[in-house]
Structures are given as structure tokens and as C-alpha cells.
Amino acid sequence: MRSGGLNAANWAVVTEYQETLKPLKEATLRLDGRSKDGRYGAIYEVIPVYEHILNCLEERAQTYEDVDFNAHDEAPEDHIKINLNAAWRKGNEYYNKLDDSPVYYAAVCLHPYYKYYCENSWADKPGWLTRANAGFQELWASYKPQRPLSSR
């Protein structure tokens, strides 16, 4: 640490931001879809990945809830907590946009591994399940044959 450079507290903040960004990097790579074995980037992964990101941001922000940033010089900068909360709000804004298309919910429900994911994750949010199921039914009706198929 050279004269005029970063001190130990500054490096601690940099390290904290790096740790905060790890789940975002992992999520980006997972949803990128460039996996050589074709396992990642599927639409059924979007809801679980968003929830994972939001949970990670929320957990990290909670660690700063009781920190008195003015208590002493060694306390981390309060902008960490502010930025974590801002990141959570922005992530939640995008997460809520998933409601605009029932495809995300349908993909999760139709996947054998994830089929109960939303039901279990949103057990305390019955309104979410009701809206998502209504969207799913509407999507299903748009693809369902309008008349019975004739047997040949």
C-alpha cells in the first residue's frame, strides 16, 4: 500500500464488493447458455436463479443492519449497505417483470425437477401462485387445440 494509495479499510471494502458480485457472476454464466454440455441457459432456470440472487443480496445486506457506521474509523463505509439495497431493488424490479410472461412460470412447472419449486418457494405468497397459475392456464388455452383431433 503505497503512499496515497488504498489503505486496509479500502481493500476490505473492495473485497466485500468482490464477494457480493460472485453470485451475480455465477448467475450470468449459468443463464448465458454457452455451456458445452447444454445444461445451462434454459428458461426454467430463470425464476430460481433470480430468487437466488435476491436472497444473496438480502442476506449480505442484513449483515450490515446493526452496523453503526459512525462508531469508529474501522467500520466499513455505509455505501456498501446502500448499494446492496439498491441492487436488491433493481433485481426485484426485473424479477417482477417475469410476471409479464407466463412462460417462465410454465417452464418451471413443466420441468420434472422444478415442478414444485414455485409452489414450495411461494407457499407464503398465495397471491403469487394464484396469478401465476391463471397466466399458465391462459397460456395453456392458447396452445390447446380448439376442436378435438379426428382419429384416422
Side-chain angles (χ1 to χ4, degrees):
M1 294 180 246
R2 298 181 184 148
S3 175
L6 298 177
N7 61 28
N10 297 138
W11 282 111
V13 170
V14 169
T15 301
E16 184 66 19
Y17 275 110
Q18 287 177 326
E19 289 301 312
T20 298
L21 292 172
K22 278 183 183 178
L24 297 169
K25 179 181 179 181
E26 292 166 2
T28 301
L29 293 173
R30 183 170 188 101
L31 294 177
D32 192 15
R34 295 185 188 180
S35 171
K36 291 181 181 175
D37 57 7
R39 291 182 21 199
Y40 302 118
I43 199 163
Y44 61 81
E45 292 184 299
V46 173
I47 290 175
V49 167
Y50 261 95
E51 289 191 349
H52 174 70
I53 290 170
L54 291 172
N55 286 337
C56 288
L57 290 170
E58 190 171 8
E59 286 173 9
R60 190 161 292 275
Q62 284 176 351
T63 63
Y64 291 103
E65 284 299 315
D66 296 326
V67 174
D68 181 2
F69 296 100
N70 298 316
H72 51 80
D73 293 337
E74 297 300 316
E77 300 291 328
D78 64 345
H79 58 79
I80 292 176
K81 181 181 174 197
I82 292 167
N83 290 338
L84 285 167
N85 289 333
W88 186 91
R89 282 192 305 276
K90 183 54 80 173
N92 193 53
E93 180 183 322
Y94 282 105
Y95 179 67
N96 287 329
K97 289 181 185 284
L98 298 179
D99 290 342
D100 295 342
S101 176
V103 170
Y104 297 100
Y105 177 75
V108 172
C109 291
L110 295 173
H111 190 276
Y113 181 78
Y114 289 111
K115 71 181 182 179
Y116 297 112
Y117 178 85
C118 293
E119 193 174 301
N120 293 332
S121 296
W122 302 345
D124 60 336
K125 299 170 181 86
W128 289 17
L129 286 170
T130 301
R131 283 191 304 277
N133 282 324
F136 180 84
Q137 292 301 322
E138 187 178 318
L139 180 67
W140 179 259
S142 72
Y143 284 95
K144 191 168 101 174
Q146 299 304 315
R147 54 188 162 86
L149 297 174
S150 60
S151 55
R152 295 181 182 182

